[in-house]
């Protein structure tokens, strides 16, 4: 069994809920389907990546495909286990593959991708806003524009920007074919615009931290960092993309907009689940983030920067106002130990479990499929506590 196979089994056996995979799919049949999805994904994704990255040699492109393909197709196949349509699973995998590709390029300082994403948002989501500190709204497109304006590098080659932009077009083309036009507009907002613009805000805050005195930075930006770090997870949109596969098979299911119009469902995804998933991701990444030289970039990580104002912002984001709970959580962060990390992860597991348990019965009646997928994505996020080294194939 490969490392990828073992990780999928980790997702299916995750202890967060324990009942997210009632279907108990036979692994042999699932693995065969996943291989079909992967082959179809590579056939579609390779020409997109080649066209997007004319500045890379073919060997580098193939390495990107090896890094992106297995995890992306396994993620989609393992979440949507009831879906047998190879073509549609591959199409959803392409959407996530493009998001991951853009995010990794921008994290590595590729200004051509930043410029391309900025133009994509101006064209396809000009009115899209993202939540910053204290629920203030920021223009998603403007966030990318600020990153370009602050860049200390020559302007990117216009031809390379055009190539990157052409790679983004399949997302705008694929989403309406996967679901209804109304749902497609929602998906352009979340996860596409939300994920990429929150990521841009995070990069800008990480750079500002390096250039600031720490106490002044946290006083001014702790709430913003919490909002953007948590907001970058985009659970609602991620679930919604996979949910489009189920709506394709069962058109009677409520639209994505109808599901997310429920304040209880929206709060669960955008507050509780996003915050827990950010914790799961950061606890696994903390060692890599401690050594920015290894990746050539610096990323703020709450486990490495447990300022009391940041920890309090995280806890209040999920509705925890009890000062004793906040103080205990801060103490666990500051321990910088496996025991402290385990208690923090356990606390956020309890938060999402409690959030699910408190959902009104009508949410399960009207949005049961969406919530089932949400639980599965939480299980996959929990596996991130293993860290990037364990997740790499």
């Amino acid at each position: 069994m490969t490392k990828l196979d073992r990780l999928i089994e980790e997702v299916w056996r995750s202890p967060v809920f324990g009942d997210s995979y009632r279907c108990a799919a036979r692994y042999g049949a699932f693995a065969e389907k996943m291989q079909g999805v992967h082959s179809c994904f590579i056939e579609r994704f390779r020409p997109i990546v080649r066209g997007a990255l004319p500045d890379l040699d073919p060997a580098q492109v193939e390495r990107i495909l090896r890094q992106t393909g297995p995890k992306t197709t396994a993620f989609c196949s393992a979440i949507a286990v009831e879906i047998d349509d190879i073509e549609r699973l591959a199409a959803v995998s392409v959407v996530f593959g493009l998001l991951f590709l853009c995010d990794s390029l921008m994290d590595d300082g590729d200004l051509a991708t930043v410029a391309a994403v900025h133009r994509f948002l101006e064209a396809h989501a000009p009115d899209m806003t993202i939540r910053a500190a204290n629920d203030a709204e920021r223009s998603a497109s403007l966030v990318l524009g600020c990153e370009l304006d602050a860049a200390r590098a020559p302007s990117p080659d216009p031809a390379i920007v055009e190539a990157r932009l052409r790679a983004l077009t399949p997302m705008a083309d694929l989403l309406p074919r996967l679901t209804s036009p109304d749902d497609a507009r929602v998906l352009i907002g979340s996860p596409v615009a939300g994920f990429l613009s929150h990521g841009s805000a995070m990069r800008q805050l990480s750079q500002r931290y390096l250039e600031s005195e720490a106490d002044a930075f946290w006083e001014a930006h702790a709430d913003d960092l919490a909002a953007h770090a948590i907001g970058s997870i985009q659970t609602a949109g991620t679930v919604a993309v996979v949910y489009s596969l189920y709506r394709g098979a069962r058109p009677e299911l409520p639209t994505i907009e109808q599901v997310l119009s429920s304040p209880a469902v929206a709060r669960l995804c955008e507050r509780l689940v996003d915050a827990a998933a950010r914790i799961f991701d950061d606890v696994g990444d903390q060692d890599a983030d401690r050594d920015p030289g290894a990746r050539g970039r610096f990323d703020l990580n709450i486990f490495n920067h447990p300022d009391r104002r940041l920890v309090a912002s995280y806890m209040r984001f999920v509705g925890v106002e009890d000062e004793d709970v906040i103080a205990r959580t801060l103490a666990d962060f500051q321990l910088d130990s496996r025991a402290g990390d385990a208690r923090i992860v356990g606390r956020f597991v309890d938060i999402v479990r409690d959030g699910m348990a408190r959902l009104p019965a009508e949410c399960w009646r009207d949005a049961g499929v969406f919530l089932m997928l949400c639980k599965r994505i939480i299980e996959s996020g929990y596996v991130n506590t293993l860290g990037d080294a364990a997740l790499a194939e």
Side-chain angles (χ1 to χ4, degrees), residues 3 189 254 374:
K3 183 180 290 186
C374 186

Side-chain angles (χ1 to χ4, degrees), residues 162-212:
E162 287 293 336
R164 304 287 198 266
L165 183 60
R166 285 195 297 273
L168 289 166
T169 303
M171 281 195 288
D173 293 339
L174 274 171
L175 291 173
R177 295 205 299 271
L178 286 169
T179 186
S180 68
D182 287 343
D183 278 353
R185 283 190 289 273
V186 176
L187 296 177
I188 287 288
S190 175
V192 179
F195 176 65
L196 297 174
S197 55
H198 277 297
S200 175
M202 282 287 292
R203 287 190 296 277
Q204 293 174 61
L205 286 168
S206 292
Q207 183 60 38
R208 189 169 295 178
Y209 176 85
L210 293 175
E211 298 168 353
S212 306

Side-chain angles (χ1 to χ4, degrees), residues 127-155:
D127 301 322
M128 169 70 185
T129 60
I130 59 173
R131 185 181 293 118
N134 304 313
D135 291 333
E137 298 289 331
R138 294 183 66 188
S139 161
S141 174
L142 184 59
V143 169
L144 271 296
C146 289
E147 183 171 6
L148 288 170
D149 292 341
R152 297 170 183 172
S155 296

Side-chain angles (χ1 to χ4, degrees), residues 11-259:
V11 172
W12 287 355
R13 296 172 180 172
S14 169
V16 177
F17 297 107
D19 64 350
S20 302
Y21 287 92
R22 296 191 185 104
C23 60
R26 288 189 302 110
Y27 194 82
F30 169 81
E32 184 178 347
K33 180 178 73 173
M34 186 172 63
Q35 184 57 51
V37 175
H38 181 263
S39 297
C40 187
F41 167 84
I42 293 296
E43 183 180 340
R44 294 183 180 194
F45 202 56
R46 179 178 281 116
I48 295 173
V49 178
R50 283 178 174 169
L53 305 173
D55 43 327
L56 297 190
D57 63 47
Q60 291 173 299
V61 170
E62 291 303 310
R63 188 185 43 149
I64 289 171
L65 291 172
R66 288 195 302 272
Q67 292 171 340
T68 306
K71 288 190 290 186
T72 304
T73 54
F75 170 78
C76 294
S77 302
I79 300 299
V81 289
E82 293 87 359
I83 302 298
D84 292 322
D85 190 324
I86 300 294
E87 294 284 334
R88 288 173 66 81
L89 283 165
V92 165
S93 299
V94 167
V95 172
F96 287 122
L98 285 168
L99 285 175
F100 298 155
L101 175 64
C102 288
D103 185 56
S104 63
L105 287 170
M106 292 192 294
D107 279 349
D108 289 341
D110 188 272
L111 285 182
T113 304
V114 177
V117 170
H118 180 242
R119 287 176 54 185
F120 179 85
L121 297 187
E122 286 192 320
H124 296 282
D127 301 322
M128 169 70 185
T129 60
I130 59 173
R131 185 181 293 118
N134 304 313
D135 291 333
E137 298 289 331
R138 294 183 66 188
S139 161
S141 174
L142 184 59
V143 169
L144 271 296
C146 289
E147 183 171 6
L148 288 170
D149 292 341
R152 297 170 183 172
S155 296
D157 182 339
I160 300 298
V161 174
E162 287 293 336
R164 304 287 198 266
L165 183 60
R166 285 195 297 273
L168 289 166
T169 303
M171 281 195 288
D173 293 339
L174 274 171
L175 291 173
R177 295 205 299 271
L178 286 169
T179 186
S180 68
D182 287 343
D183 278 353
R185 283 190 289 273
V186 176
L187 296 177
I188 287 288
S190 175
V192 179
F195 176 65
L196 297 174
S197 55
H198 277 297
S200 175
M202 282 287 292
R203 287 190 296 277
Q204 293 174 61
L205 286 168
S206 292
Q207 183 60 38
R208 189 169 295 178
Y209 176 85
L210 293 175
E211 298 168 353
S212 306
E213 188 274 324
D215 192 65
F217 175 86
W218 293 120
E219 193 63 36
H221 300 296
D223 290 343
D224 265 335
L225 182 61
H228 290 306
I230 293 168
S232 69
I233 298 297
Q234 293 290 293
T235 297
T238 302
V239 176
V241 174
V242 181
Y243 178 72
S244 68
L245 295 170
Y246 290 77
R247 280 208 73 220
R250 296 171 54 190
E252 73 276 8
L253 289 172
T255 66
I256 293 165
E257 195 164 21
Q258 287 170 333
V259 169

